Amino acid sequence: MSKSALITGITGQDGSYLAELLLEKGYRVHGLVRRSSTFSTERIDHIYQDVHTDPRLLLHYGDLTDGQALTNLVLEIQPDEIYNLGAQSHVRVSFDQPVYTLQTVGVGALNVLEAARLLNREKPVRVYQASSSEMYGDVLETPQTETTPFNPQSPYACAKVYAFHQTVNYRDSYDLFASNGILFNHESERRGETFVTRKITRAAGRIKVGLQAKLYLGNLDAKRDWGYAKDYVEGMWRILQHDEPDDFVLATGRTESVRDFCRLVFEQLDLKYEDYVEIDPRYFRPAEVDLLLGDPSKAKQKLGWTAATDLEQLARIMTSHDLELAQREAHAQSFVPS
């Protein structure tokens, strides 16, 4: 009998790639979607099937902050695995919306764990909690491992630390198979356009075709460990297939600056980033995280997982995709009906 999984945040970057992976592996996939006046399912529209003819992927309206409704859903569908990816995930925005961020990231994770605890009384369930390298913050050691102390520098990171420890607590207190994946930055052509890597590739494509003159960024010297999201969802799945619940760092083991990523992207288009990128102080964080570098040795040893896509490949994938978007945009603007 095939497994079933519930993915919160299924319409996001990671959720869409994870849904694809699980469907390929024969899962029945349930996704939690927030109700809104407009559809936000474009990342999964290509895999969404008519539920009357092929109910492999089922979407359910819900919200991580509504614990009772979430518990009702989990007890109804009884998934074998739960992947909690839903959150207000933009670090800079978390300074503007700290309470909402805590509710979705922290309390939302607690609601997922409590629902899983109740289901676990009836049947075994495994829970994946999406933890973040941002928890390391102003890092206390480099590279960062599963045992590196957390030192969060944003409301988002503080909420993720809360969720991490609740996951460990439920694992220890209730014998729940609950694991944290501490993922370092992972990007793709499906990344939201307000995140720095996608902001860069999107702007570079538009600059190349003459739709944009400048790109405004914040701290160009911040260094991150960047991988490809499609690789990282494979790691999420492997974490829940492990014999025992545990916590794992998923990273490339390489760090580069925002400036370096700009250079890679603009060079793909035969441009010099220095001619187009300008600093805007509005994009600086109140508390900056200068250096993140993960050590994925444990994941490699115990899960057999490594990041398959390097930064140069990632830059090519994203730049090519966004150049095509910009070309289509330019064509549409130049078309004048007769």
Side-chain angles (χ1 to χ4, degrees), residues 157-168:
C158 290
K160 281 293 187 182
V161 170
Y162 173 89
F164 176 94
H165 286 300
Q166 288 289 9
T167 301
V168 174

Side-chain angles (χ1 to χ4, degrees), residues 218-271:
N219 182 9
L220 294 184
D221 296 316
K223 303 185 77 172
R224 294 292 184 269
D225 184 326
W226 276 309
Y228 188 29
K230 195 170 184 179
D231 297 339
Y232 283 55
V233 298
E234 170 76 23
M236 296 177 189
W237 177 77
R238 291 193 183 204
I239 286 172
L240 288 198
Q241 311 317 306
H242 191 51
D243 293 339
E244 300 291 337
D246 204 349
D247 307 317
F248 294 91
V249 164
L250 300 186
T252 69
R254 169 187 173 184
T255 187
E256 300 288 350
S257 68
V258 175
R259 189 185 307 277
D260 294 327
F261 191 79
C262 283
R263 182 180 296 108
L264 281 173
V265 169
F266 278 81
E267 284 178 352
Q268 294 290 324
L269 302 174
D270 296 320
L271 300 172

Side-chain angles (χ1 to χ4, degrees), residues 136-139 142 144 221-224 255 289-293:
Y136 297 119
D138 188 7
V139 297
T142 299
Q144 294 86 54
D221 296 316
K223 303 185 77 172
R224 294 292 184 269
T255 187
V289 173
D290 294 319
L291 169 65
L292 293 175
L293 173 61

Side-chain angles (χ1 to χ4, degrees), residues 101-119:
T101 300
L102 175 60
Q103 289 171 338
T104 59
V105 176
V107 177
L110 182 59
N111 287 337
V112 169
L113 290 164
E114 183 62 10
R117 180 184 71 83
L118 296 174
L119 175 59

Side-chain angles (χ1 to χ4, degrees), residues 14-35:
D14 293 3
S16 66
Y17 282 121
L18 181 61
E20 287 177 345
L21 177 72
L22 296 182
L23 289 169
E24 289 171 1
K25 292 182 178 296
Y27 280 65
R28 187 177 191 186
V29 176
H30 298 266
L32 190 70
V33 180
R34 282 179 298 167
R35 180 72 177 92

Side-chain angles (χ1 to χ4, degrees), residues 57-288:
L57 175 60
L58 300 175
L59 302 183
H60 308 267
Y61 286 125
D63 195 296
L64 285 170
T65 63
D66 188 344
Q68 185 59 61
L70 183 61
T71 294
N72 292 343
L73 176 63
V74 168
L75 293 179
E76 176 187 348
I77 66 178
Q78 299 203 337
D80 299 294
E81 299 170 3
I82 301 174
Y83 295 85
N84 183 34
L85 311 183
Q88 188 301 100
S89 60
H90 197 286
V91 177
R92 181 62 188 82
V93 170
S94 77
F95 286 99
D96 301 323
Q97 296 183 304
V99 175
Y100 176 68
T101 300
L102 175 60
Q103 289 171 338
T104 59
V105 176
V107 177
L110 182 59
N111 287 337
V112 169
L113 290 164
E114 183 62 10
R117 180 184 71 83
L118 296 174
L119 175 59
N120 205 47
R121 293 173 173 177
E122 301 178 21
K123 59 164 285 187
V125 60
R126 298 188 173 198
V127 180
Y128 172 87
Q129 168 58 28
S131 291
S132 168
S133 60
E134 287 287 334
M135 300 187 302
Y136 297 119
D138 188 7
V139 297
L140 300 176
E141 67 178 21
T142 299
Q144 294 86 54
T145 72
E146 292 80 4
T147 60
T148 299
F150 300 137
N151 191 19
Q153 301 293 302
S154 67
Y156 169 78
C158 290
K160 281 293 187 182
V161 170
Y162 173 89
F164 176 94
H165 286 300
Q166 288 289 9
T167 301
V168 174
N169 181 51
Y170 269 68
R171 180 168 74 213
D172 295 341
S173 301
Y174 303 115
D175 196 28
L176 179 67
F177 194 112
S179 298
N180 286 288
I182 308 173
L183 271 60
F184 281 67
N185 291 64
H186 46 291
E187 318 298 317
S188 76
E189 62 273 34
R190 298 182 191 175
R191 191 61 142 148
E193 293 185 13
T194 60
F195 290 85
V196 67
T197 52
R198 188 76 197 287
K199 186 176 179 180
I200 292 167
T201 58
R202 191 76 175 93
R206 299 185 84 248
I207 288 169
K208 180 67 176 179
V209 300
L211 293 175
Q212 186 170 329
K214 294 289 183 179
L215 166 61
Y216 296 93
L217 298 173
N219 182 9
L220 294 184
D221 296 316
K223 303 185 77 172
R224 294 292 184 269
D225 184 326
W226 276 309
Y228 188 29
K230 195 170 184 179
D231 297 339
Y232 283 55
V233 298
E234 170 76 23
M236 296 177 189
W237 177 77
R238 291 193 183 204
I239 286 172
L240 288 198
Q241 311 317 306
H242 191 51
D243 293 339
E244 300 291 337
D246 204 349
D247 307 317
F248 294 91
V249 164
L250 300 186
T252 69
R254 169 187 173 184
T255 187
E256 300 288 350
S257 68
V258 175
R259 189 185 307 277
D260 294 327
F261 191 79
C262 283
R263 182 180 296 108
L264 281 173
V265 169
F266 278 81
E267 284 178 352
Q268 294 290 324
L269 302 174
D270 296 320
L271 300 172
K272 291 183 177 181
Y273 82 92
E274 296 93 338
D275 296 335
Y276 305 99
V277 175
E278 294 189 6
I279 303 300
D280 187 334
R282 292 178 300 173
Y283 295 120
F284 281 84
R285 300 179 186 179
E288 189 58 71

